[in-house]
């Protein structure tokens, strides 16, 4: 049985000291350091981002949200992968859709169970790896008046049932890698940063952009020319403290004799690679570089001096922007 390490505390925290007699080093959750042992787990959930799938339920409860183009077809439509640590609090989340190879790679990096419904056949070799685990389909159907492909959600109790029925472990395993992010000890501005009040991402299908709310000190997310709201949580707008943009090379999935996936499904070349990007917070941006080793190695982000950046405590949005569209990115 493959075991999945789902506790994300030390992947995302400052170094902390041991607490209490006989206790292990303190864990921390995704969005802020805590100084006590934690039994909280995380999942990485694939969320459909076609306009008909809106509104998304529960997305404001995610700690980290990835957005990336799913395909070169359909206006280069994007899909979300949402990391949720406190999944036991979810009442309705989704809707759920299929995964791609890049999602398997990123879920493994976070040591999280990938929750999806299907995917192209070539994800199977990744799903079969001992460092990748997943819950594939079989979540709840919600009658929302839409066609069946838009009706699958994680609802209360679904994940408990999945863990119980599959025997998947909620404990760390040998593939667990700590300190995914470093956090600043207090809210910190980017020294000598350039203005980043508007972040317009070159995702043409849905037109993703974020605007800085100075009063709340967060970036609010918009797509399809409107606010992205969450009816599961009082129609709160999806907002982030940190925004990370990665200029990412890609190719179309192919197999044998140069035969490419006719659906235009994209594979982002993030393993054993590096590139450039931006870190954005508190209305300012700085140029960064990123690098990642193998499948389970964390993606690391560095400033112009080569030091690993420290991000502010809070929710984080990460966009993998194809390198052929990077020149159309607007940060101002």
């Amino acid at each position: 049985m493959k075991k999945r390490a789902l506790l994300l505390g030390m992947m995302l925290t400052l170094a902390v000291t041991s607490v209490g007699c006989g206790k292990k080093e303190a864990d921390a959750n995704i969005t802020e350091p805590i100084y006590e042992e934690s039994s909280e787990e995380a999942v990485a959930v694939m969320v459909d981002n076609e306009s008909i799938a809106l509104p998304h339920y529960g997305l404001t409860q995610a700690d980290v949200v990835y957005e990336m183009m799913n395909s070169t077809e359909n206006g280069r439509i994007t899909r979300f992968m949402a990391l949720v640590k406190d999944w036991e609090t979810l009442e309705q989340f989704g809707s759920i859709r299929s995964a791609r190879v890049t999602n398997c790679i990123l879920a493994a990096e976070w040591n999280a169970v990938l929750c999806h419904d299907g995917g192209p056949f070539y994800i199977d070799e990744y799903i079969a790896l001992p460092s990748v685990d997943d819950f594939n389909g079989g979540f709840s159907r919600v009658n929302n008046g839409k066609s069946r492909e838009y009706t699958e959600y994680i609802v209360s109790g679904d994940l408990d049932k999945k863990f119980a029925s599959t025997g998947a472990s909620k404990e760390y395993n040998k593939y667990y890698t700590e300190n995914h992010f470093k956090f600043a000890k207090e809210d910190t501005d980017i020294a000598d940063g350039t203005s980043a009040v508007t972040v317009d991402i070159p995702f043409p299908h849905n037109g993703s952009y974020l605007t800085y709310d100075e009063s709340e000190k967060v970036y609010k997310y918009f797509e399809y020319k409107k606010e992205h709201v969450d009816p599961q949580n009082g129609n709160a707008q999806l907002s982030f403290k940190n925004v990370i943009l990665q200029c990412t090379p890609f190719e179309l999935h192919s197999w044998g004799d140069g035969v490419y996936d006719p659906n235009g499904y994209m594979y982002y070349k993030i393993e054993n690679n590096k590139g450039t990007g931006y870190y954005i917070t508190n209305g300012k941006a700085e140029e960064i570089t990123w690098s990642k080793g193998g499948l389970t190695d964390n993606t690391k982000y560095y400033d112009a001096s080569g030091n690993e950046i420290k991000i502010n405590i809070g929710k984080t949005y990460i966009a993998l922007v194809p390198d052929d569209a990077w020149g159309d990115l607007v940060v101002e």
Side-chain angles (χ1 to χ4, degrees), residues 187 217 219 239-243 280-282 312-315:
D187 195 60
K217 302 191 75 173
Y219 284 85
S239 301
F240 303 95
K241 183 65 178 178
N242 307 296
V243 175
I280 302 170
T281 191
N282 290 348
N312 281 321
I313 292 170
K315 298 179 183 294

Side-chain angles (χ1 to χ4, degrees), residues 1 89 114 237 310:
M1 177 63 63
T89 68
L114 181 64
Q237 187 172 359
K310 292 182 179 180

Side-chain angles (χ1 to χ4, degrees), residues 44-46 96-99 114-119 123 127 134-139 152:
V45 186
M46 296 305 305
I96 309 301
R97 288 302 293 272
S98 58
L114 181 64
C115 298
H116 64 109
D117 194 333
I123 72 170
I127 296 299
D134 75 315
F135 296 152
N136 184 0
F139 301 103
E152 188 173 13

Side-chain angles (χ1 to χ4, degrees), residues 54-215:
L54 299 177
H56 294 134
Y57 281 72
L59 206 58
T60 57
Q61 291 174 257
D63 298 278
V64 178
V65 175
Y66 284 87
E67 184 176 12
M68 67 195 78
M69 292 177 184
N70 177 54
S71 169
T72 57
E73 302 298 312
N74 302 317
R76 292 195 167 193
I77 189 169
T78 69
R79 192 158 289 180
F80 291 128
M81 188 181 82
L83 284 138
V84 185
K85 176 180 58 64
D86 295 329
W87 55 263
E88 292 172 316
T89 68
L90 299 180
E91 296 181 12
Q92 183 174 338
F93 198 96
S95 60
I96 309 301
R97 288 302 293 272
S98 58
R100 304 289 179 262
V101 168
T102 304
N103 305 118
C104 297
I105 296 169
L106 290 171
E109 172 176 327
W110 288 92
N111 230 199
V113 172
L114 181 64
C115 298
H116 64 109
D117 194 333
F121 69 88
Y122 42 78
I123 72 170
D124 293 349
E125 64 179 283
Y126 282 82
I127 296 299
L129 295 172
S131 54
V132 179
D133 212 357
D134 75 315
F135 296 152
N136 184 0
F139 301 103
S140 293
R141 294 287 174 176
V142 175
N143 184 2
N144 56 12
K146 301 176 184 178
S147 59
R148 181 174 174 81
E149 62 188 307
Y150 302 108
T151 63
E152 188 173 13
Y153 297 83
I154 293 173
V155 303
S156 297
D158 279 356
L159 291 172
D160 285 314
K161 293 176 183 176
K162 287 285 189 183
F163 279 108
S165 64
T166 62
S169 174
K170 300 176 183 179
E171 299 177 353
Y172 289 117
N173 64 20
K174 64 181 181 180
Y175 302 105
Y176 166 73
T177 304
E178 63 183 41
N179 297 328
H180 197 285
F181 289 147
K182 287 186 176 181
F183 283 108
K185 293 182 179 179
E186 57 186 24
D187 195 60
T188 304
D189 294 333
I190 295 174
D192 302 320
T194 58
S195 177
V197 175
T198 300
V199 181
D200 193 350
I201 303 170
F203 293 158
H205 184 88
N206 59 314
S208 305
Y209 69 96
L210 301 102
T211 61
Y212 182 59
D213 185 320
E214 189 172 2
S215 63

